[in-house]
Amino acid sequence: MRLTTKGRFAVTAMIDLALRENSGPVALAAISQRQQISLSYLEQLFGKLRRHQLVESTRGPGGGYSLGRRSDEITVADIIVAVDEPIDATGCGGKENCMGDDTGRCITHDLWTALNNKMIEYLDSVTLRKLVDDQLAKGVTVEEAPIKRAISSTPVVKPIRITAPNSVFALGNALSK
């Protein structure tokens, strides 16, 4: 049993978001760039996270995503369940038909079910706040949020106005005046 890309990417993106929770909404494009996760994939994941009220979205200029609850109230299990990630080590998906519909469970079914319970128990004990604190303790630095300006910081270049005729006919008209 292993956690697939969906769960790992969702947890990674949520840590990135939580690291920047005090700077206002975080754009998915910024998370995508920092974590090397496809923007379209993040949009799918954050749609699910939003439906489970783990994140909130803000539209418009300066918009993005912010946490839907405090980071110490969100667990890794919450995130994984929100993105439909199965946490299951059994071969039957918990249906107790490991050996087929007629023969029932395999002899190790209880072992894998107990492992599932331990994984869920552990993932439910790890909060997003703890993961953020772990990153900060490792020396991860969070860049300052860029200053949001109502006016563009890039200069506006005005086009050059060309008064020369653009065809033979225009040239003839200009000369006949």
CSV table of all heavy atoms in Angstrom, one decimal, residues 111-174:
chain,number,residue,atom,x,y,z
A,111,LEU,N,-5.1,-8.5,9.5
A,111,LEU,CA,-3.8,-7.8,9.6
A,111,LEU,C,-3.8,-6.5,8.8
A,111,LEU,O,-3.5,-5.4,9.4
A,111,LEU,CB,-2.7,-8.7,9.1
A,111,LEU,CG,-1.3,-8.0,8.9
A,111,LEU,CD1,-0.7,-7.7,10.3
A,111,LEU,CD2,-0.4,-8.9,8.1
A,112,TRP,N,-4.3,-6.5,7.6
A,112,TRP,CA,-4.3,-5.3,6.8
A,112,TRP,C,-5.4,-4.3,7.3
A,112,TRP,O,-5.2,-3.1,7.2
A,112,TRP,CB,-4.6,-5.7,5.3
A,112,TRP,CG,-3.5,-6.6,4.8
A,112,TRP,CD1,-3.8,-7.8,4.2
A,112,TRP,CD2,-2.1,-6.5,4.9
A,112,TRP,NE1,-2.6,-8.4,3.9
A,112,TRP,CE2,-1.5,-7.7,4.3
A,112,TRP,CE3,-1.3,-5.6,5.4
A,112,TRP,CZ2,-0.2,-7.9,4.2
A,112,TRP,CZ3,0.1,-5.8,5.4
A,112,TRP,CH2,0.6,-6.9,4.8
A,113,THR,N,-6.5,-4.8,7.8
A,113,THR,CA,-7.5,-3.9,8.4
A,113,THR,C,-6.9,-3.2,9.6
A,113,THR,O,-7.2,-2.0,9.8
A,113,THR,CB,-8.8,-4.7,8.7
A,113,THR,OG1,-9.3,-5.4,7.5
A,113,THR,CG2,-9.8,-3.9,9.3
A,114,ALA,N,-6.2,-3.9,10.4
A,114,ALA,CA,-5.6,-3.3,11.6
A,114,ALA,C,-4.6,-2.3,11.2
A,114,ALA,O,-4.5,-1.2,11.8
A,114,ALA,CB,-4.9,-4.4,12.5
A,115,LEU,N,-3.8,-2.6,10.1
A,115,LEU,CA,-2.8,-1.6,9.6
A,115,LEU,C,-3.6,-0.3,9.1
A,115,LEU,O,-3.2,0.8,9.3
A,115,LEU,CB,-2.0,-2.2,8.4
A,115,LEU,CG,-1.0,-1.2,7.7
A,115,LEU,CD1,0.0,-0.6,8.7
A,115,LEU,CD2,-0.3,-1.9,6.6
A,116,ASN,N,-4.7,-0.5,8.4
A,116,ASN,CA,-5.5,0.6,7.9
A,116,ASN,C,-5.9,1.5,9.1
A,116,ASN,O,-5.8,2.7,9.1
A,116,ASN,CB,-6.8,0.1,7.2
A,116,ASN,CG,-6.6,-0.4,5.9
A,116,ASN,OD1,-5.5,-0.3,5.3
A,116,ASN,ND2,-7.6,-1.1,5.4
A,117,ASN,N,-6.4,0.9,10.2
A,117,ASN,CA,-6.8,1.6,11.4
A,117,ASN,C,-5.7,2.4,12.0
A,117,ASN,O,-5.8,3.6,12.4
A,117,ASN,CB,-7.4,0.7,12.4
A,117,ASN,CG,-8.7,0.1,11.9
A,117,ASN,OD1,-9.4,0.7,11.1
A,117,ASN,ND2,-9.1,-1.1,12.4
A,118,LYS,N,-4.5,1.8,12.0
A,118,LYS,CA,-3.3,2.5,12.6
A,118,LYS,C,-2.9,3.7,11.7
A,118,LYS,O,-2.5,4.7,12.2
A,118,LYS,CB,-2.1,1.5,12.7
A,118,LYS,CG,-2.3,0.5,13.8
A,118,LYS,CD,-2.3,1.2,15.2
A,118,LYS,CE,-2.4,0.1,16.3
A,118,LYS,NZ,-2.6,0.7,17.6
A,119,MET,N,-3.0,3.5,10.4
A,119,MET,CA,-2.6,4.6,9.4
A,119,MET,C,-3.6,5.7,9.6
A,119,MET,O,-3.1,6.9,9.7
A,119,MET,CB,-2.6,4.1,8.0
A,119,MET,CG,-1.4,3.2,7.6
A,119,MET,SD,-1.3,2.9,5.8
A,119,MET,CE,-2.9,2.0,5.5
A,120,ILE,N,-4.8,5.4,9.7
A,120,ILE,CA,-5.8,6.5,9.8
A,120,ILE,C,-5.7,7.2,11.2
A,120,ILE,O,-5.7,8.4,11.2
A,120,ILE,CB,-7.3,5.9,9.6
A,120,ILE,CG1,-7.5,5.5,8.2
A,120,ILE,CG2,-8.3,7.0,10.1
A,120,ILE,CD1,-8.7,4.7,7.9
A,121,GLU,N,-5.4,6.4,12.2
A,121,GLU,CA,-5.2,7.0,13.5
A,121,GLU,C,-4.0,7.9,13.5
A,121,GLU,O,-4.0,9.0,14.1
A,121,GLU,CB,-5.0,5.9,14.5
A,121,GLU,CG,-4.8,6.3,15.9
A,121,GLU,CD,-4.5,5.1,16.9
A,121,GLU,OE1,-5.1,4.0,16.7
A,121,GLU,OE2,-3.6,5.2,17.7
A,122,TYR,N,-2.9,7.5,12.9
A,122,TYR,CA,-1.7,8.3,12.8
A,122,TYR,C,-1.9,9.6,12.0
A,122,TYR,O,-1.6,10.7,12.4
A,122,TYR,CB,-0.5,7.6,12.2
A,122,TYR,CG,0.7,8.4,12.0
A,122,TYR,CD1,1.4,9.0,13.1
A,122,TYR,CD2,1.1,8.8,10.7
A,122,TYR,CE1,2.5,9.8,12.9
A,122,TYR,CE2,2.2,9.7,10.5
A,122,TYR,CZ,2.9,10.2,11.6
A,122,TYR,OH,3.9,11.0,11.5
A,123,LEU,N,-2.5,9.4,10.8
A,123,LEU,CA,-2.7,10.6,9.9
A,123,LEU,C,-3.7,11.6,10.5
A,123,LEU,O,-3.6,12.8,10.3
A,123,LEU,CB,-3.2,10.1,8.5
A,123,LEU,CG,-2.2,9.3,7.7
A,123,LEU,CD1,-2.8,8.8,6.4
A,123,LEU,CD2,-0.9,10.1,7.4
A,124,ASP,N,-4.6,11.1,11.3
A,124,ASP,CA,-5.6,11.9,12.0
A,124,ASP,C,-4.9,12.7,13.2
A,124,ASP,O,-5.4,13.7,13.7
A,124,ASP,CB,-6.8,11.1,12.5
A,124,ASP,CG,-8.0,12.0,12.7
A,124,ASP,OD1,-8.2,13.0,11.9
A,124,ASP,OD2,-8.8,11.7,13.6
A,125,SER,N,-3.7,12.2,13.6
A,125,SER,CA,-3.1,12.9,14.8
A,125,SER,C,-2.1,13.9,14.3
A,125,SER,O,-1.6,14.7,15.1
A,125,SER,CB,-2.3,11.8,15.6
A,125,SER,OG,-1.2,11.4,14.9
A,126,VAL,N,-1.8,14.0,13.0
A,126,VAL,CA,-0.8,14.9,12.5
A,126,VAL,C,-1.6,16.1,11.9
A,126,VAL,O,-2.3,16.0,10.9
A,126,VAL,CB,0.1,14.3,11.4
A,126,VAL,CG1,1.1,15.3,10.8
A,126,VAL,CG2,0.8,13.1,11.9
A,127,THR,N,-1.3,17.3,12.5
A,127,THR,CA,-2.0,18.5,12.0
A,127,THR,C,-1.2,19.2,11.0
A,127,THR,O,0.0,19.1,10.9
A,127,THR,CB,-2.4,19.5,13.2
A,127,THR,OG1,-1.1,20.0,13.7
A,127,THR,CG2,-3.2,18.8,14.2
A,128,LEU,N,-1.9,20.0,10.2
A,128,LEU,CA,-1.2,20.9,9.2
A,128,LEU,C,-0.2,21.9,10.0
A,128,LEU,O,0.9,22.1,9.5
A,128,LEU,CB,-2.2,21.6,8.4
A,128,LEU,CG,-1.8,22.4,7.2
A,128,LEU,CD1,-1.0,21.6,6.2
A,128,LEU,CD2,-3.0,23.0,6.5
A,129,ARG,N,-0.6,22.3,11.1
A,129,ARG,CA,0.2,23.2,11.9
A,129,ARG,C,1.5,22.6,12.3
A,129,ARG,O,2.6,23.2,12.2
A,129,ARG,CB,-0.5,23.6,13.2
A,129,ARG,CG,0.3,24.5,14.1
A,129,ARG,CD,0.2,26.0,13.7
A,129,ARG,NE,1.5,26.4,13.1
A,129,ARG,CZ,1.6,27.4,12.2
A,129,ARG,NH1,0.6,28.1,11.8
A,129,ARG,NH2,2.8,27.7,11.7
A,130,LYS,N,1.5,21.3,12.7
A,130,LYS,CA,2.7,20.6,13.0
A,130,LYS,C,3.6,20.4,11.8
A,130,LYS,O,4.8,20.6,11.9
A,130,LYS,CB,2.4,19.2,13.5
A,130,LYS,CG,3.6,18.4,13.9
A,130,LYS,CD,3.4,17.0,14.2
A,130,LYS,CE,4.6,16.2,14.6
A,130,LYS,NZ,5.9,16.5,13.9
A,131,LEU,N,3.0,20.2,10.6
A,131,LEU,CA,3.9,20.1,9.4
A,131,LEU,C,4.5,21.4,9.0
A,131,LEU,O,5.7,21.4,8.6
A,131,LEU,CB,3.0,19.5,8.2
A,131,LEU,CG,2.5,18.1,8.4
A,131,LEU,CD1,1.5,17.8,7.3
A,131,LEU,CD2,3.6,17.1,8.6
A,132,VAL,N,3.8,22.5,9.2
A,132,VAL,CA,4.3,23.8,9.0
A,132,VAL,C,5.4,24.1,10.0
A,132,VAL,O,6.5,24.6,9.6
A,132,VAL,CB,3.2,24.9,9.1
A,132,VAL,CG1,3.8,26.3,9.1
A,132,VAL,CG2,2.3,24.8,7.9
A,133,ASP,N,5.2,23.8,11.2
A,133,ASP,CA,6.2,24.0,12.3
A,133,ASP,C,7.5,23.2,12.0
A,133,ASP,O,8.6,23.7,12.2
A,133,ASP,CB,5.7,23.7,13.7
A,133,ASP,CG,4.6,24.7,14.2
A,133,ASP,OD1,4.6,25.8,13.6
A,133,ASP,OD2,3.9,24.4,15.1
A,134,ASP,N,7.3,22.0,11.5
A,134,ASP,CA,8.4,21.2,11.1
A,134,ASP,C,9.2,21.8,10.0
A,134,ASP,O,10.5,21.8,10.1
A,134,ASP,CB,8.0,19.8,10.7
A,134,ASP,CG,7.4,18.9,11.9
A,134,ASP,OD1,7.6,19.3,13.0
A,134,ASP,OD2,6.8,17.9,11.6
A,135,GLN,N,8.6,22.4,9.0
A,135,GLN,CA,9.3,23.0,7.9
A,135,GLN,C,10.0,24.2,8.4
A,135,GLN,O,11.1,24.5,8.0
A,135,GLN,CB,8.3,23.4,6.8
A,135,GLN,CG,7.7,22.2,6.1
A,135,GLN,CD,8.7,21.3,5.4
A,135,GLN,OE1,9.6,21.8,4.7
A,135,GLN,NE2,8.7,20.1,5.8
A,136,LEU,N,9.4,25.0,9.2
A,136,LEU,CA,10.0,26.2,9.8
A,136,LEU,C,11.2,25.9,10.6
A,136,LEU,O,12.3,26.5,10.6
A,136,LEU,CB,9.0,27.1,10.5
A,136,LEU,CG,7.9,27.7,9.7
A,136,LEU,CD1,6.9,28.4,10.6
A,136,LEU,CD2,8.4,28.7,8.7
A,137,ALA,N,11.1,24.8,11.4
A,137,ALA,CA,12.3,24.3,12.2
A,137,ALA,C,13.4,23.9,11.3
A,137,ALA,O,14.6,24.0,11.8
A,137,ALA,CB,11.8,23.2,13.1
A,138,LYS,N,13.1,23.4,10.2
A,138,LYS,CA,14.2,22.9,9.2
A,138,LYS,C,14.8,24.1,8.5
A,138,LYS,O,15.8,23.9,7.7
A,138,LYS,CB,13.6,22.0,8.2
A,138,LYS,CG,13.2,20.6,8.7
A,138,LYS,CD,12.6,19.7,7.7
A,138,LYS,CE,12.1,18.4,8.2
A,138,LYS,NZ,11.5,17.6,7.2
A,139,GLY,N,14.3,25.3,8.8
A,139,GLY,CA,14.9,26.5,8.1
A,139,GLY,C,14.3,26.9,6.8
A,139,GLY,O,14.8,27.8,6.1
A,140,VAL,N,13.1,26.4,6.5
A,140,VAL,CA,12.4,26.8,5.3
A,140,VAL,C,12.0,28.3,5.5
A,140,VAL,O,11.5,28.7,6.5
A,140,VAL,CB,11.2,26.0,5.1
A,140,VAL,CG1,10.3,26.5,4.0
A,140,VAL,CG2,11.5,24.5,4.7
A,141,THR,N,12.4,29.1,4.5
A,141,THR,CA,12.0,30.5,4.5
A,141,THR,C,10.8,30.8,3.6
A,141,THR,O,10.7,30.2,2.6
A,141,THR,CB,13.2,31.4,4.1
A,141,THR,OG1,13.6,31.0,2.8
A,141,THR,CG2,14.4,31.2,5.1
A,142,VAL,N,10.0,31.6,4.1
A,142,VAL,CA,8.8,32.0,3.3
A,142,VAL,C,9.1,33.5,2.9
A,142,VAL,O,9.3,34.4,3.7
A,142,VAL,CB,7.6,32.0,4.2
A,142,VAL,CG1,6.4,32.4,3.4
A,142,VAL,CG2,7.4,30.6,4.8
A,143,GLU,N,9.1,33.6,1.5
A,143,GLU,CA,9.3,34.9,1.0
A,143,GLU,C,8.2,35.9,1.4
A,143,GLU,O,7.1,35.5,1.6
A,143,GLU,CB,9.4,34.8,-0.6
A,143,GLU,CG,8.2,34.5,-1.3
A,143,GLU,CD,7.8,33.0,-1.2
A,143,GLU,OE1,8.6,32.2,-0.8
A,143,GLU,OE2,6.6,32.7,-1.6
A,144,GLU,N,8.5,37.1,1.4
A,144,GLU,CA,7.5,38.1,1.7
A,144,GLU,C,6.5,38.2,0.6
A,144,GLU,O,6.9,38.1,-0.6
A,144,GLU,CB,8.2,39.5,2.0
A,144,GLU,CG,9.1,39.5,3.2
A,144,GLU,CD,8.8,40.6,4.1
A,144,GLU,OE1,7.9,41.4,3.8
A,144,GLU,OE2,9.4,40.6,5.2
A,145,ALA,N,5.3,38.5,0.9
A,145,ALA,CA,4.3,38.6,-0.1
A,145,ALA,C,4.6,39.9,-0.9
A,145,ALA,O,4.9,40.9,-0.3
A,145,ALA,CB,2.9,38.7,0.5
A,146,PRO,N,4.4,39.8,-2.2
A,146,PRO,CA,4.7,41.0,-3.0
A,146,PRO,C,3.6,42.1,-2.7
A,146,PRO,O,2.5,41.8,-2.3
A,146,PRO,CB,4.5,40.6,-4.5
A,146,PRO,CG,3.7,39.3,-4.4
A,146,PRO,CD,4.0,38.7,-3.0
A,147,ILE,N,4.1,43.3,-2.7
A,147,ILE,CA,3.2,44.5,-2.5
A,147,ILE,C,2.1,44.5,-3.6
A,147,ILE,O,2.4,44.5,-4.8
A,147,ILE,CB,3.9,45.8,-2.4
A,147,ILE,CG1,5.0,45.7,-1.3
A,147,ILE,CG2,3.0,47.0,-2.3
A,147,ILE,CD1,5.9,46.9,-1.3
A,148,LYS,N,0.9,44.5,-3.2
A,148,LYS,CA,-0.2,44.6,-4.2
A,148,LYS,C,-0.5,46.0,-4.5
A,148,LYS,O,-0.8,46.8,-3.6
A,148,LYS,CB,-1.5,43.9,-3.6
A,148,LYS,CG,-1.2,42.4,-3.4
A,148,LYS,CD,-2.4,41.7,-2.8
A,148,LYS,CE,-2.0,40.2,-2.6
A,148,LYS,NZ,-2.9,39.6,-1.7
A,149,ARG,N,-0.4,46.4,-5.7
A,149,ARG,CA,-0.6,47.7,-6.2
A,149,ARG,C,-1.8,47.8,-7.1
A,149,ARG,O,-2.0,46.9,-7.9
A,149,ARG,CB,0.7,48.2,-6.9
A,149,ARG,CG,1.9,48.2,-6.2
A,149,ARG,CD,3.1,48.5,-7.1
A,149,ARG,NE,4.3,48.3,-6.4
A,149,ARG,CZ,5.1,49.2,-6.0
A,149,ARG,NH1,4.8,50.5,-6.0
A,149,ARG,NH2,6.3,48.9,-5.4
A,150,ALA,N,-2.5,48.9,-7.0
A,150,ALA,CA,-3.6,49.1,-7.9
A,150,ALA,C,-3.1,49.6,-9.2
A,150,ALA,O,-3.8,49.4,-10.2
A,150,ALA,CB,-4.5,50.2,-7.3
A,151,ILE,N,-1.9,50.2,-9.3
A,151,ILE,CA,-1.3,50.6,-10.5
A,151,ILE,C,-0.2,49.7,-10.9
A,151,ILE,O,0.6,49.3,-10.0
A,151,ILE,CB,-0.8,52.1,-10.4
A,151,ILE,CG1,-2.0,53.0,-10.0
A,151,ILE,CG2,-0.1,52.5,-11.6
A,151,ILE,CD1,-1.6,54.4,-9.6
A,152,SER,N,-0.1,49.3,-12.1
A,152,SER,CA,0.9,48.4,-12.6
A,152,SER,C,2.3,49.0,-12.3
A,152,SER,O,2.6,50.2,-12.5
A,152,SER,CB,0.8,48.2,-14.1
A,152,SER,OG,1.8,47.4,-14.6
A,153,SER,N,3.2,48.1,-11.9
A,153,SER,CA,4.6,48.5,-11.6
A,153,SER,C,5.4,48.6,-12.9
A,153,SER,O,6.5,49.1,-12.9
A,153,SER,CB,5.2,47.6,-10.6
A,153,SER,OG,5.3,46.3,-11.2
A,154,THR,N,4.9,48.1,-14.0
A,154,THR,CA,5.6,48.2,-15.2
A,154,THR,C,5.2,49.4,-16.0
A,154,THR,O,4.0,49.8,-16.0
A,154,THR,CB,5.4,46.9,-16.1
A,154,THR,OG1,4.0,46.8,-16.3
A,154,THR,CG2,5.9,45.7,-15.5
A,155,PRO,N,6.2,50.1,-16.6
A,155,PRO,CA,5.8,51.4,-17.3
A,155,PRO,C,4.9,51.1,-18.5
A,155,PRO,O,5.0,50.0,-19.1
A,155,PRO,CB,7.2,51.9,-17.7
A,155,PRO,CG,8.1,50.8,-17.7
A,155,PRO,CD,7.6,49.8,-16.7
A,156,VAL,N,4.0,52.0,-18.8
A,156,VAL,CA,3.2,51.9,-19.9
A,156,VAL,C,3.9,52.5,-21.1
A,156,VAL,O,4.4,53.6,-21.1
A,156,VAL,CB,1.8,52.7,-19.7
A,156,VAL,CG1,1.0,52.7,-20.9
A,156,VAL,CG2,1.1,52.1,-18.5
A,157,VAL,N,4.0,51.7,-22.2
A,157,VAL,CA,4.7,52.2,-23.4
A,157,VAL,C,3.6,52.6,-24.4
A,157,VAL,O,2.8,51.8,-24.7
A,157,VAL,CB,5.6,51.0,-24.0
A,157,VAL,CG1,6.2,51.5,-25.2
A,157,VAL,CG2,6.6,50.5,-22.9
A,158,LYS,N,3.7,53.8,-24.8
A,158,LYS,CA,2.7,54.3,-25.7
A,158,LYS,C,3.2,54.0,-27.1
A,158,LYS,O,4.4,54.2,-27.4
A,158,LYS,CB,2.5,55.8,-25.6
A,158,LYS,CG,1.9,56.2,-24.3
A,158,LYS,CD,1.6,57.7,-24.2
A,158,LYS,CE,0.9,58.0,-22.9
A,158,LYS,NZ,0.6,59.4,-22.7
A,159,PRO,N,2.3,53.6,-28.0
A,159,PRO,CA,2.7,53.3,-29.4
A,159,PRO,C,3.1,54.6,-30.1
A,159,PRO,O,2.6,55.6,-29.9
A,159,PRO,CB,1.5,52.6,-30.0
A,159,PRO,CG,0.3,53.1,-29.2
A,159,PRO,CD,0.9,53.4,-27.8
A,160,ILE,N,4.0,54.4,-31.1
A,160,ILE,CA,4.5,55.5,-31.9
A,160,ILE,C,3.4,55.7,-33.0
A,160,ILE,O,3.0,54.8,-33.6
A,160,ILE,CB,5.8,55.2,-32.6
A,160,ILE,CG1,6.9,54.9,-31.5
A,160,ILE,CG2,6.3,56.3,-33.5
A,160,ILE,CD1,8.2,54.4,-32.0
A,161,ARG,N,3.1,57.0,-33.1
A,161,ARG,CA,2.0,57.3,-34.1
A,161,ARG,C,2.7,57.5,-35.5
A,161,ARG,O,3.6,58.4,-35.6
A,161,ARG,CB,1.3,58.5,-33.7
A,161,ARG,CG,0.1,58.9,-34.6
A,161,ARG,CD,-0.8,59.9,-34.0
A,161,ARG,NE,-1.9,60.2,-34.8
A,161,ARG,CZ,-3.0,59.7,-34.8
A,161,ARG,NH1,-3.3,58.8,-33.8
A,161,ARG,NH2,-4.0,60.0,-35.6
A,162,ILE,N,2.3,56.7,-36.4
A,162,ILE,CA,3.0,56.8,-37.8
A,162,ILE,C,2.0,57.6,-38.7
A,162,ILE,O,0.8,57.3,-38.8
A,162,ILE,CB,3.2,55.4,-38.4
A,162,ILE,CG1,4.1,54.6,-37.4
A,162,ILE,CG2,3.7,55.5,-39.8
A,162,ILE,CD1,4.3,53.2,-37.8
A,163,THR,N,2.5,58.7,-39.2
A,163,THR,CA,1.7,59.5,-40.1
A,163,THR,C,2.0,59.3,-41.6
A,163,THR,O,1.4,59.9,-42.4
A,163,THR,CB,2.0,61.0,-39.8
A,163,THR,OG1,3.3,61.3,-39.9
A,163,THR,CG2,1.5,61.3,-38.4
A,164,ALA,N,2.9,58.4,-41.9
A,164,ALA,CA,3.2,58.1,-43.3
A,164,ALA,C,2.1,57.3,-43.9
A,164,ALA,O,1.5,56.4,-43.2
A,164,ALA,CB,4.5,57.3,-43.4
A,165,PRO,N,1.8,57.5,-45.2
A,165,PRO,CA,0.8,56.7,-45.9
A,165,PRO,C,1.2,55.2,-45.9
A,165,PRO,O,2.3,54.9,-46.1
A,165,PRO,CB,0.7,57.3,-47.3
A,165,PRO,CG,1.7,58.4,-47.3
A,165,PRO,CD,2.4,58.5,-46.0
A,166,ASN,N,0.2,54.4,-45.8
A,166,ASN,CA,0.5,52.9,-45.8
A,166,ASN,C,0.1,52.2,-47.1
A,166,ASN,O,0.2,51.0,-47.2
A,166,ASN,CB,-0.3,52.3,-44.6
A,166,ASN,CG,-1.8,52.4,-44.8
A,166,ASN,OD1,-2.3,53.0,-45.7
A,166,ASN,ND2,-2.5,51.7,-43.9
A,167,SER,N,-0.2,53.0,-48.2
A,167,SER,CA,-0.5,52.3,-49.5
A,167,SER,C,-0.2,53.4,-50.6
A,167,SER,O,0.0,54.6,-50.3
A,167,SER,CB,-1.9,51.9,-49.6
A,167,SER,OG,-2.8,53.0,-49.6
A,168,VAL,N,-0.1,52.9,-51.8
A,168,VAL,CA,0.1,53.7,-52.9
A,168,VAL,C,-1.1,54.7,-53.0
A,168,VAL,O,-0.8,55.9,-53.3
A,168,VAL,CB,0.2,52.9,-54.2
A,168,VAL,CG1,0.3,53.8,-55.4
A,168,VAL,CG2,1.4,52.0,-54.1
A,169,PHE,N,-2.3,54.3,-52.8
A,169,PHE,CA,-3.4,55.2,-52.9
A,169,PHE,C,-3.4,56.3,-51.9
A,169,PHE,O,-3.7,57.4,-52.1
A,169,PHE,CB,-4.7,54.3,-52.8
A,169,PHE,CG,-4.8,53.3,-53.8
A,169,PHE,CD1,-4.7,51.9,-53.5
A,169,PHE,CD2,-5.0,53.6,-55.2
A,169,PHE,CE1,-4.8,51.0,-54.5
A,169,PHE,CE2,-5.1,52.6,-56.1
A,169,PHE,CZ,-5.0,51.3,-55.8
A,170,ALA,N,-3.0,55.9,-50.6
A,170,ALA,CA,-2.9,56.9,-49.6
A,170,ALA,C,-1.8,57.9,-49.9
A,170,ALA,O,-1.9,59.1,-49.6
A,170,ALA,CB,-2.7,56.2,-48.2
A,171,LEU,N,-0.7,57.4,-50.5
A,171,LEU,CA,0.4,58.3,-50.8
A,171,LEU,C,-0.1,59.3,-51.9
A,171,LEU,O,0.2,60.5,-51.8
A,171,LEU,CB,1.6,57.5,-51.4
A,171,LEU,CG,2.8,58.3,-51.8
A,171,LEU,CD1,3.4,59.1,-50.7
A,171,LEU,CD2,3.8,57.3,-52.4
A,172,GLY,N,-0.9,58.8,-52.9
A,172,GLY,CA,-1.4,59.6,-53.9
A,172,GLY,C,-2.3,60.7,-53.4
A,172,GLY,O,-2.3,61.9,-53.7
A,173,ASN,N,-3.2,60.3,-52.4
A,173,ASN,CA,-4.1,61.2,-51.8
A,173,ASN,C,-3.3,62.3,-51.0
A,173,ASN,O,-3.7,63.5,-50.9
A,173,ASN,CB,-5.1,60.5,-50.9
A,173,ASN,CG,-6.1,59.8,-51.7
A,173,ASN,OD1,-6.4,60.1,-52.8
A,173,ASN,ND2,-6.8,58.8,-51.0
A,174,ALA,N,-2.3,61.8,-50.3
A,174,ALA,CA,-1.5,62.8,-49.4
A,174,ALA,C,-0.7,63.8,-50.3
A,174,ALA,O,-0.6,64.9,-49.9
A,174,ALA,CB,-0.5,62.0,-48.6
